Structure formats: structure tokens, C-alpha cells
Amino acid sequence: MHHAAYVFDAYGTLFDVHAAVRRHAGEIGPDGQLLSEIWRAKQLEYSWVRTLMGGAYADFWQLTEQALDFALRKVPSADPALRTKLLEAYWRLDCYPEVPAVLKALKASGAKLAILSNGSPEMLDAAVKSAALDQILDDVFSVDQVKRFKTDPSVYDMVVTGWRLYPGAVSFQSSNRWDIAGAAKFGFRTVWINRTNQPDEYRDFPPGLILPSLEGLLAGV
């Protein structure tokens, strides 16, 4: 079913969060995947903990740095001297191959397109421009505006308030199942982009649709 608005999570949905480590895999060695997984897990954990604490907001770039520092300590085989290179690579993450074509097709259908992300405005601006998506997207919503991270309802509310839409008019796409749960509870129509065939969870807040990539969105266009 075609929707008036398509809103996308950024990291893991449009942009490959493991691309930074993969870019320097030769220098990191055999534990690169482990390093990347710990980096991502801690990045998210820090966002949830700070939101639950209340009044403890730090932008996503700070959390990304802190999470990498932890991951480098946790994986001693990875050279800490690579820290600067890895952080620089995170500003220019690869987007998934189907992303530009899917977004262009949705845009051509008359839909509004946006990103809704935990990322800081500077991080998102760099990622969007690096992937040449800046001419396709209508808006980029960062949690920096509300100083709380997903899955706080105030994050999802930025879209309906900013665009003056009912939640049901928004199709929200994310590769993060917890993000889909939060968006579903808020009232968005949700599409879980399950790129790595993960088992389902949060079953009391199910996705409206499960797809292996964004390409399935074009079936309704």
C-alpha cells in the first residue's frame, strides 16, 4: 500500500554500520567483526541508558566515540592507534546498494521522504551527502532536537508534528526490531527491514511488514 510519507531509520537501515570496520579490516585483523559488533551494541546501550536516566543526554557522536573506546579495550587484538581512522570512516558509511534507487522511486511516486535517527545533525549531514541522498530526502530529523533517544515517543512525534500528519499516514522503516516496536506503539505503519534474518521479538508490538531489504517497498508503488 502506498503511503503519503516514508520515514527511514539511518544506521543499519540506510547506512551499513559495519562499513567503518570493514574498510580497515586488513589492519584490524581477525577480530574485526567482533570489534564492530561490540562497538554497535555499546553505542545503542549508551543511548538507551542515558534516556532512561533522564537529563543525561549526550549527542550520538559522543556515544559513538565512547562505544569505540570500550570496544577497543574489550578486543585487545585490535590496535588502539586505529581509533582515528575508524571514527573518520564512520562519517562516510556506505549505504546499502538498493537505497538510492528505492528512494528515488518513492520520491517519484509523490511521497515525502525523511530520515528519523539517533544520529547527531552533523553525522547525518555527512552520511547523507556522502551517499548523495541530499537531493532526494525532504527532511532529516535528529533526536538532538528533543534530547532523547529512540524509543522515546517524543522522537517519533517529531515527524507527525513537523509534517502535520496522523501517525497512520507514515510508513516507518527500520532494521532495528526495538525501533520498530517503539514506532508501532506510537502508531506508525511499520516495516522491519530484517537484513540478517534475525528472530522476531517484541511480539506484542509487531511490524506491519517484514522485508529482507528496502526493495520490497516498491511493490506498492
Side-chain angles (χ1 to χ4, degrees):
M1 184 170 60
H2 187 259
H3 280 70
Y6 290 82
V7 177
F8 300 84
D9 168 62
Y11 297 108
T13 305
L14 299 181
F15 306 112
D16 184 352
V17 294
H18 300 295
V21 167
R22 194 166 55 246
R23 197 170 296 169
H24 298 287
E27 296 174 89
I28 295 169
D31 291 327
Q33 183 176 346
L34 176 62
L35 178 76
S36 193
E37 289 173 355
I38 293 172
W39 187 6
R40 174 62 171 168
K42 285 296 176 180
Q43 181 192 49
L44 294 175
E45 178 189 323
Y46 295 165
S47 73
W48 298 328
V49 169
R50 285 182 174 273
T51 294
L52 287 168
M53 287 167 66
Y57 178 79
D59 75 35
F60 205 56
W61 183 245
Q62 294 177 67
L63 305 191
T64 299
E65 291 180 307
Q66 293 168 11
L68 177 57
D69 290 338
F70 176 87
L72 287 169
R73 292 195 299 270
K74 189 71 173 176
V75 184
S77 63
D79 185 355
L82 292 170
R83 181 184 190 271
T84 298
K85 284 186 178 181
L86 290 170
L87 289 173
E88 287 175 351
Y90 210 93
W91 286 91
R92 303 179 307 280
L93 293 176
D94 299 330
C95 69
Y96 289 99
E98 83 278 10
V99 169
V102 170
L103 266 56
K104 286 176 183 176
L106 291 173
K107 182 77 169 178
S109 75
K112 294 187 73 171
L113 306 181
I115 283 175
L116 175 64
S117 174
N118 279 341
S120 70
E122 295 79 12
M123 291 175 71
L124 293 170
D125 183 63
V128 165
K129 288 180 178 175
S130 177
L133 302 180
D134 49 317
Q135 301 301 312
I136 308 172
L137 295 164
D138 295 290
D139 258 316
V140 177
F141 295 97
S142 166
V143 300
D144 201 60
Q145 181 179 328
V146 294
K147 300 293 191 285
R148 298 181 72 80
F149 292 102
K150 297 174 181 178
T151 57
D152 191 276
S154 64
V155 174
Y156 307 106
D157 187 64
M158 286 192 294
V159 174
V160 297
T161 299
W163 281 0
R164 301 181 181 230
L165 291 173
Y166 289 109
V170 176
S171 180
F172 179 74
Q173 289 67 227
S174 180
S175 65
N176 301 299
R177 185 61 181 88
W178 51 269
D179 192 12
I180 288 295
K185 184 178 185 297
F186 182 77
F188 285 161
R189 187 252 188 179
T190 55
V191 182
W192 179 27
I193 309 301
N194 189 5
R195 294 186 180 278
T196 55
N197 197 30
Q198 295 296 308
D200 196 12
E201 52 188 337
Y202 307 108
R203 296 202 175 191
D204 47 341
F205 299 106
L209 185 64
I210 302 173
L211 297 173
S213 77
L214 293 171
E215 288 177 311
L217 294 176
L218 300 184
V221 174

